[in-house]
């Protein structure tokens, strides 16, 4: 193989259920996982269930206003506590099988005949807690008994991409509001989606709207190829919108040097952060099978933009089209991952060589669990 071309992962990494199960155990159940937006659970009793690796995780706000995360499993006979994806309870969670009842903080508070079993420790038999951290207005959970530090696992991705964690400060992401959320059900392996997001060799081919706004992307090098680099808007472009027309006022705390630029960050294993002057786009991936990934995408704007009902459709439409174009490409690749033509994998051209670092990281994660 020439120096211009380096190898990709073999096709089996995208199709083998055994490899996917290993990824669930070694990656999604060990690393910090961005689960829900904190603002989606504003009141006591609000909850959401999220699939993290092989586990269903229940996230809820308690009566003191704190968020807690638990494995969504009754401690009695293992029934699932909540079967709904989201909702609200008044005071407690009750298992629908034998009525074991848990407070919003997870403690066991009631069960049939519990008073006749005084030796049952209500804390010890409470719901199994999961580590939780809030950052950028989102709830991140970790299922490991001893999780890696949030700084090493998550924050380092920002530093590696932008050069400094402070580069995020001007966007004040935790203060923004959701202007639009779209959920995509992608028939492709999660790694294909990450690889696609990391490179722009495909941009001139499938992203006409994006390359009109960000002309340098037509040359094939993604912003993520360079530390600290932001892709500049075209000279005639007024805003990050589907037609290049004017968007909203620059986020109030954003530095002038970041105006008229787009930055992208990949936070392994399942988050994309997209930064533009007047809004932020965050993708969260939920890998459900070797060939299926649900992607939840939030468009975040200044609170006054959302509260006053301003029209966000032109800025939403730009990245919605990018998403649809990208996911169609990933779905086009997925069936071929099982082909004998891809048994030994494919190749990466120079503008994609940084994807090789992602592949090496993945292999290390899988081998470290053996």
């Amino acid at each position: 193989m020439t120096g211009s071309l380096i190898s990709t992962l073999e096709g089996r990494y995208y199709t083998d259920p055994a490899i996917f199960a290993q990824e669930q155990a070694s990656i999604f159940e060990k690393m910090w996982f961005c689960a829900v937006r904190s603002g989606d659970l504003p009141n006591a009793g609000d909850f959401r269930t999220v699939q993290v690796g092989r586990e269903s995780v229940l996230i809820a706000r308690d009566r003191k206003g704190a968020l807690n995360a638990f494995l969504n499993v009754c401690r009695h006979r293992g029934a699932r506590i909540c079967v709904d994806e989201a909702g609200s309870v008044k005071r407690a969670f009750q298992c629908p099988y034998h009525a074991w009842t848990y407070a919003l903080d997870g403690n066991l508070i009631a069960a049939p005949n519990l008073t006749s079993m005084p030796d049952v420790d209500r804390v010890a038999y409470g719901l199994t807690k999961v580590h939780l951290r809030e950052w950028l207005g989102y709830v991140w959970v970790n299922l490991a008994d001893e999780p890696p530090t949030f700084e090493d696992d998550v924050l380092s991705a920002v530093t590696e991409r932008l050069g400094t964690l402070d580069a995020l400060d001007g966007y004040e992401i935790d203060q923004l509001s959701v202007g639009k959320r779209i959920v995509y059900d992608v028939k492709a392996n999660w790694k294909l989606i990450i690889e696609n997001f990391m490179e722009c060799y495909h941009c001139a081919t499938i992203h006409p709207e994006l390359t009109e706004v960000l002309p340098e992307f037509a040359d094939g090098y993604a912003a993520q190829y360079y530390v600290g680099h932001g892709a500049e808007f075209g000279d005639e472009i007024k805003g990050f919108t589907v037609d290049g027309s004017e968007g909203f006022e620059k986020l109030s705390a954003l530095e002038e040097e970041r105006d008229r630029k787009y930055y992208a960050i990949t936070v392994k294993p399942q988050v994309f952060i997209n930064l533009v002057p007047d809004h932020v786009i965050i993708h969260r991936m939920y890998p459900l099978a070797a060939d299926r990934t649900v992607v939840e995408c939030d468009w975040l704007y200044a609170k006054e933009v959302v509260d006053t009902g301003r029209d966000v459709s032109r800025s939403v439409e730009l990245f919605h089209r990018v998403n649809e174009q990208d996911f169609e490409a990933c779905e086009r690749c997925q069936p071929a991952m099982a082909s004998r033509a891809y048994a030994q994998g494919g190749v990466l051209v120079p503008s994609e060589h940084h994807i090789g670092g992602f592949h090496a990281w993945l292999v290390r994660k899988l081998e470290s669990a053996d």
Side-chain angles (χ1 to χ4, degrees):
M1 191 167 293
T2 69
S4 295
L5 302 178
I6 62 175
S7 298
T8 68
L9 294 171
E10 297 171 0
R12 63 191 176 91
Y13 280 88
Y14 304 87
T15 61
D16 189 338
I19 291 178
F20 181 71
Q22 192 176 1
E23 291 169 345
Q24 288 179 305
S26 304
I27 296 175
F28 301 112
E29 294 173 23
K30 294 289 180 63
M31 297 184 69
W32 286 94
F33 188 101
C34 187
V36 303
R37 186 151 181 87
S38 304
D40 290 346
L41 306 174
N43 304 310
D46 290 347
F47 72 87
R48 181 165 174 184
T49 58
V50 175
Q51 190 70 25
V52 181
R54 297 162 298 179
E55 298 281 3
S56 174
V57 176
L58 170 62
I59 302 165
R61 193 173 295 277
D62 65 27
R63 303 190 71 80
K64 295 180 180 179
L67 286 164
N68 298 282
F70 316 97
L71 298 184
N72 188 18
V73 176
C74 180
R75 297 296 304 282
H76 171 223
R77 296 271 298 282
R80 183 159 290 190
I81 299 292
C82 293
V83 295
D84 294 329
E85 183 178 303
S88 186
V89 295
K90 288 185 177 180
R91 300 182 185 279
F93 295 103
Q94 186 174 82
C95 177
Y97 192 7
H98 294 95
W100 276 40
T101 304
Y102 303 89
L104 299 177
D105 63 4
N107 287 339
L108 177 65
I109 56 174
N113 306 318
L114 185 60
T115 55
S116 65
M117 298 178 281
D119 58 328
V120 175
D121 186 327
R122 299 190 183 205
V123 174
Y125 283 91
L127 296 176
T128 302
K129 281 208 167 190
V130 168
H131 300 281
L132 181 149
R133 171 85 176 256
E134 291 185 74
W135 184 60
L136 301 183
Y138 287 85
V139 175
W140 302 67
V141 298
N142 189 288
L143 275 58
D145 292 334
E146 297 182 6
T149 68
F150 197 79
E151 290 70 22
D152 289 343
D153 217 27
V154 177
L155 303 187
S156 62
V158 179
T159 303
E160 291 170 5
R161 169 65 186 92
L162 299 182
T164 171
L165 187 61
D166 295 342
L168 281 184
D169 291 350
Y171 296 92
E172 297 183 323
I173 299 174
D174 59 341
Q175 303 299 315
L176 303 182
S177 296
V178 179
K180 182 71 173 181
R181 174 175 292 159
I182 300 178
V183 179
Y184 306 86
D185 198 332
V186 187
K187 297 177 181 64
N189 186 274
W190 66 280
K191 297 184 293 298
L192 289 175
I193 299 173
I194 285 190
E195 293 161 8
N196 174 278
F197 184 71
M198 291 180 70
E199 54 93 357
C200 217
Y201 190 49
H202 68 278
C203 287
T205 307
I206 70 172
H207 294 322
E209 300 88 357
L210 184 64
T211 53
E212 184 71 22
V213 174
L214 304 173
E216 68 181 75
F217 276 7
D219 294 332
Y221 279 89
Q224 292 187 78
Y225 196 87
Y226 312 96
V227 175
H229 179 72
E232 295 197 22
F233 292 5
D235 292 341
E236 305 301 319
I237 298 300
K238 296 181 179 179
F240 198 75
T241 58
V242 69
D243 55 4
S245 58
E246 192 170 354
F248 304 107
E249 298 81 7
K250 177 169 65 75
L251 295 170
S252 60
L254 191 65
E255 306 94 327
E256 196 64 35
E257 66 190 57
R258 300 193 184 279
D259 195 13
R260 295 183 56 77
K261 290 183 179 179
Y262 162 82
Y263 298 86
I265 307 167
T266 300
V267 183
K268 297 188 290 288
Q270 46 87 241
V271 177
F272 305 148
I273 302 173
N274 306 271
L275 308 168
V276 293
D278 63 341
H279 65 283
V280 172
I281 307 161
I282 293 186
H283 298 68
R284 285 168 287 141
M285 293 193 300
Y286 301 91
L288 300 181
D291 58 356
R292 183 185 174 211
T293 309
V294 170
V295 182
E296 194 165 287
C297 188
D298 288 345
W299 282 259
L300 308 175
Y301 299 86
K303 189 173 186 298
E304 58 269 21
V305 169
V306 177
D307 289 350
T308 57
R310 297 177 68 180
D311 183 9
V312 301
S313 61
R314 285 177 296 112
S315 57
V316 169
E317 182 62 22
L318 174 56
F319 229 88
H320 174 53
R321 290 192 191 183
V322 171
N323 285 340
E324 290 190 318
Q325 292 156 354
D326 280 340
F327 299 155
E328 180 182 0
C330 294
E331 290 181 340
R332 181 183 293 269
C333 290
Q334 182 62 40
M337 297 297 101
S339 169
R340 62 181 178 177
Y342 209 80
Q344 301 305 313
V347 295
L348 301 170
V349 302
S351 63
E352 304 170 303
H353 280 188
H354 58 298
I355 295 175
F358 168 63
H359 292 164
W361 168 85
L362 177 90
V363 172
R364 286 196 303 271
K365 284 288 185 182
L366 298 183
E367 288 180 347
S368 66
D370 292 339

